[in-house]
Amino acid sequence: MSITDLNFDIDRNSQTPMWLQIRDELYNCLHQEILRPGQLIPNEKTLVELFNVSIGTVRKAIGALENEGILIRKQGLGTFVFEHDANSFQFKYFHFVPRNSEETVIPNVELVSFERKKATKSEIEILNLPADNRNVFHIYNKLGFRNKFYIVDKIIISVAKFLSLTEEMYVNRNNTIYNLYQNKFNIFITDCSEKIRTVPANGETAKILGIDIDTPLLRIDRTGYTYHNEIVEIRTSYVHTSDIDYVRPHFSALGE
Amino acid sequence: MSITDLNFDIDRNSQTPMWLQIRDELYNCLHQEILRPGQLIPNEKTLVELFNVSIGTVRKAIGALENEGILIRKQGLGTFVFEHDANSFQFKYFHFVPRNSEETVIPNVELVSFERKKATKSEIEILNLPADNRNVFHIYNKLGFRNKFYIVDKIIISVAKFLSLTEEMYVNRNNTIYNLYQNKFNIFITDCSEKIRTVPANGETAKILGIDIDTPLLRIDRTGYTYHNEIVEIRTSYVHTSDIDYVRPHFSALGE
DNA sequence: TAGTGGTCTAGACCACGTG
DNA sequence: ACGTGGTCTAGACCACTAC
């Protein structure tokens, strides 16, 4: 199935601007994996014919998706579907730097445990688990720099959505976790939100990080969303901020 | 001095796109307060004549500044220079919500102390204080909801830049602090960055918040920037996250 | 050299807010 | 009714990338 085989019917008299209708059509093509991660999408001239509008309108639609971080335009090459990789992880989703430094550092990640569990009530609700499969994966990782670990990460995802996931597959991925979601399970994390507070380290976390029980940690609750704001990942990070800071880079624009 | 009295010379053969040149010219007019907070800027047709380009080019320049949060377009009304107020404070710069809630709450702010001090070496460096005035204001506030205080805020600003600032003026402002900066001192906070870690409460903070010494707190170091990335404010918040969370709303696009 | 997206034009018409 | 920004057109030409 190629996008160029489809027939699109843009309503020229709708309340919704044509560029937004086109943006939504493209968004749905991405959602339905008619356009896949890393893929080159049709050039602007082709889209003009496909949607039967002028090039400025197509460009405005693509520009909107580019601003959302879903498409990437490369002059001289074409427009591509965004693909999660180590680079994007570092700049978009990994927010720690060594204290008194501005550079983000690439962390080492090590699996602690990989389990399949019965979901709690809260997990069922947040992940909107289907009645016929109320199991979740719990994946614990530790992350750090230079042979020292500072972060324990607990990832919760639905078994229904990641049915064929195994510990081996998880360990042997040679890319980021979000890239695994995207390439093996057609699940694309489009954006996240986070909440932060302090908590004392519990016994398990303390042991993993080599610190005392009750050492104050940052607790970061991250919610990962895919298309149409569907929640697909709950992640809780426990962070020992002895030598590192959580960073929120320059912000200003309203919705960020 | 009105912007319409100026002569702009957009270079049609420059490497820099014309829309970006116009964006920069407008940015400088804002920086030099030729265009002031809350002010209506000339309409698009006037700007077309002023810069001698077509309307699409003007619109692209304005769109860039709108994305930066500096201009606000209102259909049917015109385009305005952004002005800090309680609303923008809440949505752009205040990042706390009661636990298990999605709504941001308007906090009450209360002055704890207002002092004029000799700057430390670090303050001189970060705020780039001039040799002839190496003093700073230290302003402590406490913030909370519903008669309980959770946050102690320490603001450090240069006396050189806020020369006429007094405690009375500070207390009697009937708007946000950033609005005061903007309206009385022509200093417009364009954006911020933040770093977060955990720290134990010191005696003073513990007393203000009514908690035990060494209670784990979030420490948030915020740097406030004005035009051309000039640092004008150093703010440190100590947050007792017993009932509230620090929130980072949806993010995805690269620079956010 | 061919193909891509990026810039720019010179309009027309629409939607919104105010008087 | 008027003035504002928002949408849309149908081009031309430029800058970048790959072969």
Side-chain angles (χ1 to χ4, degrees), chain A residues 156-184:
Chain A
I156 304 174
I157 50 180
S158 134
V159 170
K161 281 211 169 63
F162 294 88
L163 203 55
S164 64
L165 181 63
T166 61
E167 177 167 346
E168 196 197 356
M169 191 193 294
Y170 181 82
V171 172
N172 292 332
R173 77 185 190 285
N174 46 13
N175 206 316
T176 68
I177 297 165
Y178 287 174
N179 181 278
L180 178 75
Y181 292 177
Q182 192 174 51
N183 279 325
K184 302 283 185 199

Side-chain angles (χ1 to χ4, degrees), chain B residues 124-153:
Chain B
I124 290 171
E125 199 179 318
I126 296 173
L127 291 172
N128 194 24
L129 299 184
D132 64 349
N133 190 338
R134 299 204 148 158
N135 298 308
V136 286
F137 291 109
H138 280 201
I139 307 171
Y140 282 84
N141 292 289
K142 54 182 176 180
L143 294 86
F145 315 112
R146 312 189 200 97
N147 301 320
K148 197 169 167 194
F149 290 99
Y150 297 102
I151 304 166
V152 173
D153 235 31

Side-chain angles (χ1 to χ4, degrees), chain B residues 155-175:
Chain B
I155 296 172
I156 304 174
I157 51 180
S158 134
V159 170
K161 282 211 169 61
F162 295 87
L163 202 56
S164 64
L165 181 63
T166 61
E167 177 167 346
E168 197 197 353
M169 191 191 295
Y170 181 82
V171 172
N172 292 332
R173 77 186 190 284
N174 46 12
N175 207 316

